[in-house]
Structures are given as C-alpha cells and as structure tokens.
Amino acid sequence: MPPIVEQDFTFMTNNARDFRKLYAKEELHAGLVIIVPQVLPVLQRELFALILQDLAGAQDMVNEVIEVTLAGEDAVLTRYSLPEAWSRPPPPTSLTNFRLLILTFG
C-alpha cells in the first residue's frame, strides 16, 4: 500500500473488502477503482472500459472510489468519497453506446 499512496497511483482491484479498509485509513489518496464481480478477464476489460469512459474529462479522483457491479445486463457504476469525511461534488459524466447506471454518494 505505501508505494501506491506515495507515488499517487490510482489503484484498480477486485479485492473490495480489503482495499476499502486500507483506503479508509488514508487521509489522502489518488483514488481506488473496484471491479466487484469476479468475472472472466474479457468482461473485466469491458467493465474497465466503462470506468475509463466515465473518467474521460474528469479532473482527478482524489479520495474517491469508483465501484462497478453488474445488475443483470446492466453495469452499475457507483462513485463515493473515502474516507467519508472528504466531500467534493462529482465530475460530470457522459455515456455513449452503453447501458450504465451511475450512483453517486457524497
């Protein structure tokens, strides 16, 4: 974890449980991306492409988490602050060619 935070990397993982706990302890971080479902690599890449599409044009992900889950045939993208005390309005999102539900908590 120290190299990730020290070098300002935004980290992507399937390990939601452990990394939520680790990032909640960090006062400042460059963001966490969680692909929640354990799916085949080809679907992981598609879900990651949706996240990249959402991030296009965003300024940064300071102290934010993006989680993508599946609800039937829909990808559900949830964006929230972590640690929870951090509060900033979410950046605008734009979508094309995907059924994507975006939930933002802040």
Side-chain angles (χ1 to χ4, degrees):
M1 185 73 185
I4 296 168
V5 174
E6 290 167 7
Q7 296 183 38
D8 291 327
F9 289 125
T10 298
F11 189 70
M12 184 183 86
T13 184
N14 284 101
N15 186 345
R17 182 180 5 203
D18 291 336
F19 279 92
R20 273 193 218 109
K21 290 176 189 175
L22 291 169
Y23 273 75
K25 295 176 185 176
E26 295 295 326
E27 184 176 322
L28 186 65
H29 61 80
L32 175 63
V33 176
I34 302 170
I35 298 179
V36 176
Q38 298 293 327
V39 294
L40 294 174
V42 67
L43 185 52
Q44 281 183 349
R45 287 189 292 274
E46 289 177 24
L47 295 172
F48 186 62
L50 290 174
I51 293 167
L52 291 177
Q53 182 181 1
D54 179 64
L55 289 174
Q59 292 179 357
D60 57 46
M61 282 188 57
V62 174
N63 285 19
E64 290 188 346
V65 177
I66 294 178
E67 290 189 22
V68 64
T69 58
L70 294 175
E73 302 258 337
D74 296 329
V76 179
L77 193 68
T78 306
R79 191 174 193 146
Y80 57 92
S81 295
L82 191 66
E84 292 178 17
W86 179 266
S87 180
R88 175 173 27 139
T93 58
S94 61
L95 306 171
T96 57
N97 300 325
F98 293 101
R99 277 189 71 190
L100 183 62
L101 306 172
I102 297 182
L103 305 174
T104 304
F105 300 93

